[in-house]
Structure formats: C-alpha cells, structure tokens
Amino acid sequence: MKKRRVGTLSMGIVLIAFGILIFIAQVNSISAINLSIKFWPIILFLIGGEILWYSYKYRDEDVNIKYDVFSVFIVLLIVVINLGIYGIVETGIMSKVSSMISSENFTFKIPYREIEVDKNIEKIIVEVPRHCKLDMRSEKYNKIIFSGSADIAAENKEKAKEFLNDEYIITKSSGNTLYVSFPDTSIHNNRAGNFSPYKFNLSIPEDKKVEINGEGNSLDLALDSIKSDWVIDNINNVKVRLGKSIDVKLEASVYGTEALGGNAKWETANIENVEEINKVKGKLVYGEGKNSIDIITNGEVEVNTLE
C-alpha cells in the first residue's frame, strides 16, 4: 500500500507566499500584519484543496493518505514567530531599544519664562510637581518667573535640544485666583528622548496670597519678604529660608518634634482634639508676625534664618 503525505505541498506554498507578502510590505511600506490577517484563510483553502486533490487523484488506488501534521505545525509556528518579530519591528519597539542603548545623557537649562500677573489676581495656587524638586522664592515684581534644569537622553545633543520646546509651566486664572501647575513628568519619561526634569525654579509676587499643595516630595522656599498669608499642604519635605527683616508667623503641623529642624528656635505644643497622638505644632514668630505661613505635612519641616 502506497502512502501519500498531505500538507507538505500546501505549507511549502504558504512559506513562499509568506516571504513574498513580507517583501511586498517592506517595499511598499505597508503593514505585513494587516496583510496576513486579510489573507490567512487562503492557508485553509490550500490544505483543503490538497486533501481533495489527493482523494480524487488516488480514489481508485490502494493509497493510504497521511496528514503531515508535524510539518503543518512547524510551518505555522515559523509563520507565527516571524509575524511576532515583524510586529515588534512595526511598533517601533526595536528602534526605541536601539535608541536607548546608543543614547547619552545631556543636561540642559529649561527655557526661561516670565509671565505677567493680572492686577486683579489676589491669590496664587501652586500645584507642586511629583517627580522633581521645586525651588520657590518671593519677588517684588508683579510677575511669575520660571526656569529649570533637566536631563535628556538622546542619540546626540542636537536631538536632545528638540525636547526643550514643550511647555513646562501651565497658568490658568479663574476670577481673582491664578492656578500654576506643571505637566506630569512621568509622561515625558515614557516618551522617546526620556526627558527627566529634576529641578524647577519659580518666583512669585510677594504681595499675593499663596497656597502650595500637591503630592510633591520636595519644596524649598527662599523668602526675603511676604506681604500676605501662605498655606503649604501635603508636601513631604519642606525647607524654608527666611530673610533677616521678614515679618511673619510660621506654624508647622507635623508628627513628632523630631520632624522640626533647622537653626530656628521652635516653640512646640501638642495639637488638641486630633486622633493622632504624636501630632504637634511648631511655631516661629519674626517681627510682629503680621503675615502667616501655615505648613501641614506628614514629613519634615526645616527652617533656617539668615543671621
């Protein structure tokens, strides 16, 4: 009894057709994945046609038709693996990996900006960025001054400079309140170029009420003078440097007296009517204490004064 293997011819044709398909996709800059999805049912036609052909051709002969399952499986496996590899190439992952391997770190200054503050603005609310340090200071001028520093990973310095064109400070007014925020830097870190700001500098008018909050890890304040009240909330580590002639009353709510530091001479007292046993309030008064700074944090507060 003769044996005929069904499937080998079809899979040979499939391999040839698959190679032609990828070649056409590369030459014409089209997706081989999309072409494969459209034309894969042809494989079933080929295998079915081969089975019918052998069954018809050897219908009067004593022939044992054997299906070449192993060949079909191996070829299908090869096709799937190649499609997977080609899919990775099409998505640009390989180029990104190659770019990361060959990239270097370059340090740049974020472009300097000055933003005029409308005279009707009485309060400024600042959202502290999460992934970099924010340094703030008060100024006499009725404007917001912004700058910063960043590390950029790129293949060369020219390409790195292209990532300095984005806006890294956002201002929006509502009534007599001005909101200042920064784009989430995690978005930048996930894109090509790996833009990583590590420091923002922000100067704001000294005669405006200020509220600083967010999920930032670090805030440094340099205050020579303020003429209104400030509130700082939900910042892990706050460092404050006060000028010699400042007139302010500063109060900080923290967990434990050990969270109060710097060269300032703190007055401390337990906070009543709260559930947290270790919650204490530190107090500092300079001049007449006409203006106030209230700090609420689960982290540390460091206050230093210029001698």
Side-chain angles (χ1 to χ4, degrees), residues 159-185:
K159 287 188 176 182
K161 287 181 179 179
E162 296 177 3
F163 294 98
L164 290 174
N165 297 325
D166 291 343
E167 296 292 331
Y168 297 108
I169 181 172
I170 303 169
T171 58
K172 183 179 180 180
S173 60
S174 177
N176 61 0
T177 302
L178 178 67
Y179 296 87
V180 179
S181 60
F182 307 87
D184 189 342
T185 54

Side-chain angles (χ1 to χ4, degrees), residues 80-98:
V80 170
I81 291 175
N82 278 273
L83 279 176
I85 293 173
Y86 199 84
I88 292 174
V89 173
E90 282 190 346
T91 57
I93 294 176
M94 295 299 295
S95 61
K96 289 181 180 180
V97 172
S98 176

Side-chain angles (χ1 to χ4, degrees), residues 12 33 37 48 60 68 98 100 106-107 127-128 139 155 170 179 192 206 210 239 241-242 248 256 274-275 280 304:
I33 302 296
I37 291 174
D60 297 328
D68 195 352
S98 176
M100 289 177 62
F106 300 92
T107 300
E127 294 286 338
V128 177
E139 295 286 355
E155 295 179 7
I170 303 169
Y179 296 87
E206 63 182 10
V210 177
K239 293 183 179 179
R241 191 202 70 193
L242 300 175
V248 69
V274 294
E275 296 180 358
V280 299
N304 294 288

Side-chain angles (χ1 to χ4, degrees), residues 4-7 9-10 43-60 63 65-67:
R4 297 294 179 181
R5 302 176 68 88
V6 176
L9 178 62
S10 297
I43 297 175
L44 301 179
F45 285 106
L46 286 172
I47 296 175
E50 188 176 356
I51 293 173
L52 291 175
W53 167 252
Y54 275 109
S55 298
Y56 173 77
K57 183 177 181 180
Y58 300 106
R59 66 184 184 280
D60 297 328
V63 175
I65 297 178
K66 184 179 181 181
Y67 299 102

Side-chain angles (χ1 to χ4, degrees), residues 131-144:
H131 301 288
C132 66
K133 180 182 178 184
L134 177 63
D135 286 4
M136 290 184 61
R137 64 173 54 248
S138 59
E139 295 286 355
K140 296 180 180 180
Y141 308 107
N142 191 41
K143 62 178 65 176
I144 289 176

Side-chain angles (χ1 to χ4, degrees), residues 291-305:
N291 303 299
S292 66
I293 300 176
D294 292 317
I295 303 174
I296 305 169
T297 179
N298 294 330
E300 299 180 350
V301 177
E302 179 183 319
V303 177
N304 294 288
T305 58

